[in-house]
């Protein structure tokens, strides 16, 4: 059974001028974030949403998490509809949030995770062991009792992933999860993601990094200007360079970058 299903999903953001728009410089309008997008993700699958900024990747993740609702079409997680059964969907989904404002700065990493585990209704008897597990999996064991106000951006990134994992979601959503990680922690993270898939977790990861997509993905969805251009299997071990060539061929954009890792 598919864990996540998009059926003809559309999402439009409408802009209204500010109330005090004296000079008339600000005008109304709309941005099409997703246009008639259909795809599915199976249990134990790592599905990568690949595309540049503004392609609709983050919007898709927010629709799955119920942070946003679709304007057309439907989004399902397991047996539940994101619009009608939002509470049931949220119990199944973990989304990594990694900004400083997402945590209590004067609490330690362990204390923050304990607080959010309680919010996610993790049984008290299981919290300590689960927190130890996610601290280990995200490489934060040594910083477990450090106040998060002392964390670097990369450590916040890992703590956000730990927060999403502590509830043991059946669907894990990650938005550019390695953008603040160094090479060693990035490699460790990629290993963790494939291990989660081996435990039947469905992972949807948004990125614009070809190497990341080629390393972790079972399938890659190519999004461009809100449209789904391609659904590509990665089971044959396709290289980052081959994926890069495919991207520019499908989008019709000119590849002017000498960096083979990102768009």
């Amino acid at each position: 059974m598919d864990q996540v299903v998009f059926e003809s999903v559309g999402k439009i953001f409408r802009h209204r001028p500010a109330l005090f728009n004296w000079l008339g410089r600000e005008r109304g309008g709309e941005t099409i974030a997703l246009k008639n997008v259909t795809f599915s993700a199976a249990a134990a699958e790592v599905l990568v949403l690949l595309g540049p900024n503004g392609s609709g990747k983050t919007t898709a993740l927010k629709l799955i998490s119920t942070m946003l609702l679709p304007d057309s079409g439907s989004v399902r997680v397991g047996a539940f509809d994101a619009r009608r059964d939002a509470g049931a969907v949220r119990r199944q989904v973990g989304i990594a949030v990694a900004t400083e404002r997402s945590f209590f700065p004067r609490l330690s990493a362990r204390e923050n995770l304990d607080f959010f585990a309680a919010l996610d209704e993790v049984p008290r008897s299981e919290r300590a062991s689960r927190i130890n597990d996610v601290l280990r999996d995200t490489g934060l064991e040594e910083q477990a009792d450090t106040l998060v106000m002392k964390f670097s951006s990369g450590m916040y990134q890992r703590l956000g992933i730990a927060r999403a994992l502590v509830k043991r979601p059946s669907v894990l959503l990650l938005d550019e999860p390695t953008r603040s990680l160094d090479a060693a922690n990035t490699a460790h993270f990629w290993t963790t993601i494939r291990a989660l898939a081996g435990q039947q977790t469905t992972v949807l990861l948004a990125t614009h990094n070809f190497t990341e997509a080629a390393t972790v993905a079972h399938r890659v969805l190519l999004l461009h200007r809100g449209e789904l251009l391609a659904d590509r299997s990665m089971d044959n071990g396709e290289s980052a360079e081959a994926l890069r060539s495919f991207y520019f061929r499908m989008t019709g954009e000119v590849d002017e970058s000498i960096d083979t890792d990102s768009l």
Side-chain angles (χ1 to χ4, degrees):
M1 177 180 177
D2 289 326
Q3 279 293 92
V4 176
V5 178
F6 266 46
E7 290 186 354
S8 303
V9 172
K11 184 64 183 177
I12 298 175
F13 295 108
R14 294 176 174 83
H15 316 289
R16 296 179 179 177
L19 180 61
F20 300 104
N21 185 26
W22 302 115
L23 300 179
R25 293 176 178 174
E26 187 177 0
R27 299 185 181 278
E30 61 182 33
T31 298
I32 300 175
L34 291 175
K35 183 179 180 181
N36 197 35
V37 172
T38 297
F39 68 84
S40 62
E45 184 172 35
V46 180
L47 183 64
V48 167
L49 310 182
L50 179 68
N53 293 336
S55 60
K57 306 186 304 295
T58 299
T59 299
L61 297 187
K62 288 183 176 180
L63 288 167
I64 297 167
S65 72
T66 74
M67 294 171 66
L68 295 174
L69 295 175
D71 294 322
S72 60
S74 65
V75 178
R76 297 199 310 275
V77 176
F80 301 103
D81 182 271
R83 184 185 298 276
R84 296 192 303 267
D85 310 301
V89 168
R90 285 192 290 270
R91 284 191 287 272
Q92 296 189 59
V93 172
I95 183 167
V97 180
T99 63
E100 295 181 15
R101 295 180 181 179
S102 304
F103 301 100
F104 296 98
R106 296 188 180 276
L107 296 182
S108 68
R110 189 187 305 278
E111 290 167 334
N112 268 279
L113 291 175
D114 186 66
F115 173 81
F116 289 112
L119 284 184
D120 287 327
E121 300 179 352
V122 175
R124 183 184 295 272
S125 61
E126 298 180 20
R127 284 180 207 162
S129 61
R130 288 200 195 187
I131 289 169
N132 286 335
D133 287 346
V134 297
L135 287 169
R136 181 193 64 242
D137 291 342
T138 55
L140 286 173
E141 284 181 297
E142 293 185 4
Q143 294 82 25
D145 298 307
T146 300
L147 300 184
V148 299
M149 64 189 297
K150 300 179 180 179
F151 274 21
S152 65
S153 58
M155 291 162 68
Y156 271 113
Q157 194 79 14
R158 285 182 279 159
L159 186 60
I161 296 167
R163 173 181 167 180
L165 290 174
V166 76
K167 68 188 291 187
R168 293 184 180 170
S170 59
V171 177
L172 177 63
L173 308 177
L174 302 165
D175 193 1
E176 298 187 21
T178 60
R179 63 181 178 271
S180 299
L181 302 186
D182 58 29
N185 283 312
T186 294
H188 176 76
F189 169 77
W190 288 342
T191 300
T192 299
I193 291 305
R194 296 308 292 262
L196 286 169
Q199 299 167 16
Q200 299 302 299
T201 303
T202 300
V203 180
L204 285 92
L205 187 155
T207 187
H208 56 258
N209 186 301
F210 293 112
T211 298
E212 183 160 69
T215 300
V216 303
H218 295 123
R219 283 166 51 221
V220 169
L221 301 183
L222 176 54
L223 290 170
H224 190 255
R225 297 177 181 174
E227 297 189 70
L228 178 59
L229 295 187
D231 183 338
R232 189 174 181 88
S233 172
M234 301 293 286
D235 288 340
N236 295 325
E238 188 171 24
S239 69
E241 189 55 42
L243 185 58
R244 179 189 184 88
S245 298
F246 175 74
Y247 168 84
F248 284 104
R249 185 168 68 254
M250 291 298 297
T251 62
E253 295 181 2
V254 178
D255 183 3
E256 298 179 344
S257 172
I258 61 173
D259 178 4
T260 61
D261 284 346
S262 60
L263 298 179

